[in-house]
Amino acid sequence: MSGTSSSPTRRSLLAASAAAGALSLLPAHLAAAVDSNAIRSFHINVPEADLVDLRRRVKATRWPTKETVTDPSQGVQLATIQKLARYWSTEYDWRRCEAKLKALPHFVTEIDGVDIHFIHVRSKHENALPLIVTHGWPGSIIEQLKIVDPLTNPTAHGASASDAFHLVIPSLPGHGFSGKPTTTGWDPIRIARAWTVLMKRLGYTRFAAQGGDWGNAVTEQMALQAPPELIGIHTNMPATVPADIAKALQFGEPPPSGLSADEKHAWDQLDFFYKHGLGYAQEMANRPQTLYGIEDSPVGLAAWMLDHDASSYALIARVFDGQREGLTRDDILDNVTLYWLTNTAVSSARLYWESKLPFFAPKGVPIPAAVSVFPDEIYAAPRSWTEKAYPKLIYYNKLDKGGHFAAWEQPQLFSSEMRAAFKSLRPSQNG
């Protein structure tokens, strides 16, 4: 993996180029004078030898025996992962994904000693709302590729020019093309501060933020830090679980009496997740460095990533059985291959070790917040919990389909949610 970069030396030129969505390559003697705040172009170029080595490793996988049950209760099933491996080693073409990535403008800038990679696509519509969208684990910028054109070019997708966004899609530190922190402290709170620095460095004086999974944790921390430039947030994995519910789940107690149907459904989802779905998070939160196997084995990495949550795994298993879903085999392997090629299996896992935040506990977000609830998320947040968790809730909607990777799996629905969620925060709606 390689990246090349260059940048103007004067801030005025930098701001102008960034605002245009592209930076020009400069002669080496000028590039050498770039200060640490500069925004540099980033170019993706994966050596063919890396892809040859990947296919060789997949083909050389030493397989365990088949699970002794007929369901996924013991984990990722042998038949599913072997179908994935066969496709990965014989038909999958990374270059198709690389071409999609190369069609977008990529940049990198140093913040707090770490190079932060991001995609930056400005809309042609002058009054577009700047929006920073943050992925989670085991996601990446691959999750957001399908929403770039619908959000930046809404008139081509049946929406109005007044619905346009300028998009900034960063890679979390230790993930994808961003740098890998060499010191501790890069938790969601620090990343949130870095994201505000990034948006201001790009010249945005008024912007919104969106995220799910770790992206939600970062986005909520941005809101809690309350920079004046941040006008509102949206999340597709809200943190709303009341303290009495969380306590009962933690200690295996029965649910409190008087829960509504939606609240009882959320309880049941969380109860299953806490009992059967937290293994990966507990290992990464306690011993991320021990995961050498997923750094060395592509199939080991793929299985670890597939086993994130039961609904997502079930969808992926159906895809490799040949069914048509919101994701394709290529979608799934684009994401896993990015982790493999960037050597970020362990560096991304460290975020679980760094963070001390309770994932689903309300944080008291003090600014306007919008929530979209997808039914196959880890839990579907009830409106009653959401209204208490976000005192300035400006939008709440329950969708009929979609799961944890909402933008990736249901990009049209997700894009529509973004337009509706932030409509009231646009200047034209406020006189």
Side-chain angles (χ1 to χ4, degrees):
M1 185 66 57
S2 65
T4 59
S5 61
S6 60
S7 165
T9 55
R10 295 181 60 84
R11 290 282 178 83
S12 58
L13 289 177
L14 174 61
S17 296
L23 294 173
S24 300
L25 292 175
L26 291 180
H29 70 284
L30 290 179
V34 171
D35 64 38
S36 61
N37 292 337
I39 296 171
R40 297 113 60 194
S41 294
F42 182 86
H43 304 277
I44 300 163
N45 182 25
V46 175
E48 185 63 25
D50 290 358
L51 302 177
V52 171
D53 177 65
L54 169 58
R55 288 189 288 269
R56 177 189 64 78
R57 287 171 179 262
V58 174
K59 290 177 180 177
T61 300
R62 187 171 72 166
W63 298 102
T65 57
K66 185 180 183 295
E67 63 277 2
T68 56
V69 293
T70 58
D71 57 37
S73 60
Q74 291 183 353
V76 174
Q77 292 152 292
L78 184 64
T80 297
I81 199 68
Q82 286 187 329
K83 289 172 187 174
L84 179 150
R86 280 195 295 272
Y87 184 76
W88 205 2
S89 62
T90 59
E91 297 183 55
Y92 173 75
D93 182 5
W94 163 259
R95 298 300 183 193
R96 287 184 295 195
C97 178
E98 193 174 274
K100 287 187 288 187
L101 289 168
K102 285 183 173 181
L104 299 171
H106 294 254
F107 304 95
V108 66
T109 190
E110 182 184 321
I111 301 176
D112 203 8
V114 172
D115 273 349
I116 301 299
H117 161 267
F118 60 98
I119 296 170
H120 183 202
V121 181
R122 285 184 58 88
S123 174
K124 65 182 178 181
H125 300 292
E126 184 178 346
N127 294 322
L129 175 63
L131 177 67
I132 183 166
V133 181
T134 309
H135 67 84
W137 187 96
S140 67
I141 57 169
I142 299 295
E143 284 184 73
Q144 281 84 39
L145 295 183
K146 297 176 188 177
I147 64 170
V148 171
D149 200 63
L151 292 184
T152 60
N153 188 21
T155 55
H157 297 268
S160 166
S162 62
D163 292 319
F165 292 89
H166 300 310
L167 278 187
V168 178
I169 304 172
S171 297
L172 289 166
H175 296 64
F177 301 118
S178 279
K180 301 177 178 72
T182 57
T183 59
T184 61
W186 277 96
D187 63 359
I189 299 168
R190 188 172 181 179
I191 296 169
R193 289 196 296 266
W195 274 200
T196 298
V197 170
L198 173 60
M199 294 300 279
K200 293 170 68 174
R201 194 172 289 179
L202 290 170
Y204 292 127
T205 57
R206 186 176 186 274
F207 60 86
Q210 195 285 329
D213 195 86
W214 283 121
N216 172 70
V218 171
T219 298
E220 288 194 336
Q221 290 303 311
M222 291 177 72
L224 292 172
Q225 292 162 11
E229 298 84 1
L230 180 63
I231 62 170
I233 67 168
H234 174 276
T235 176
N236 54 287
M237 199 187 83
T240 71
V241 180
D244 62 331
I245 297 288
K247 178 178 177 292
L249 286 164
Q250 180 182 359
F251 293 104
E253 300 170 358
S257 60
L259 296 183
S260 69
D262 283 352
E263 291 167 346
K264 181 56 167 62
H265 178 59
W267 166 279
D268 290 340
Q269 289 178 303
L270 287 164
D271 188 45
F272 177 87
F273 181 68
Y274 286 170
K275 289 176 179 175
H276 305 290
L278 270 176
Y280 74 92
Q282 290 169 336
E283 179 65 14
M284 293 196 289
N286 285 287
R287 311 289 285 179
Q289 195 65 28
T290 297
L291 296 171
Y292 294 96
I294 63 172
E295 199 83 73
D296 185 61
S297 165
V299 167
L301 174 64
W304 187 258
M305 293 171 68
L306 261 58
D307 207 15
H308 175 268
D309 67 278
S311 293
S312 295
Y313 169 69
L315 182 151
I316 291 169
R318 294 194 299 271
V319 169
F320 281 98
D321 275 339
Q323 298 184 37
R324 294 180 63 85
E325 298 278 356
L327 299 179
T328 67
R329 294 180 298 178
D330 284 347
D331 286 335
I332 295 156
L333 285 171
D334 288 345
N335 189 51
V336 180
T337 304
L338 178 64
Y339 272 78
W340 176 261
L341 294 173
T342 54
N343 206 36
T344 49
V346 169
S347 60
S348 62
R350 293 190 191 116
L351 183 52
Y352 286 81
W353 186 91
E354 291 283 0
S355 181
K356 304 301 183 284
L357 299 172
F359 234 110
F360 298 130
K363 310 298 189 299
V365 170
I367 68 173
V371 171
S372 298
V373 176
F374 290 85
D376 291 327
E377 182 54 271
I378 291 173
Y379 82 105
R383 179 185 285 272
S384 56
W385 296 358
T386 304
E387 289 175 342
K388 293 177 182 177
Y390 301 94
K392 294 188 177 180
L393 187 69
I394 58 171
Y395 180 85
Y396 175 92
N397 190 36
K398 291 177 66 175
L399 286 299
D400 293 330
K401 59 182 175 179
H404 186 73
F405 303 97
W408 197 25
E409 181 197 340
Q410 299 294 338
Q412 290 182 318
L413 287 178
F414 185 90
S415 298
S416 295
E417 286 297 289
M418 292 304 96
R419 297 174 193 132
F422 290 115
K423 188 171 286 291
S424 67
L425 297 183
R426 293 180 184 269
S428 61
Q429 304 298 318
N430 297 322

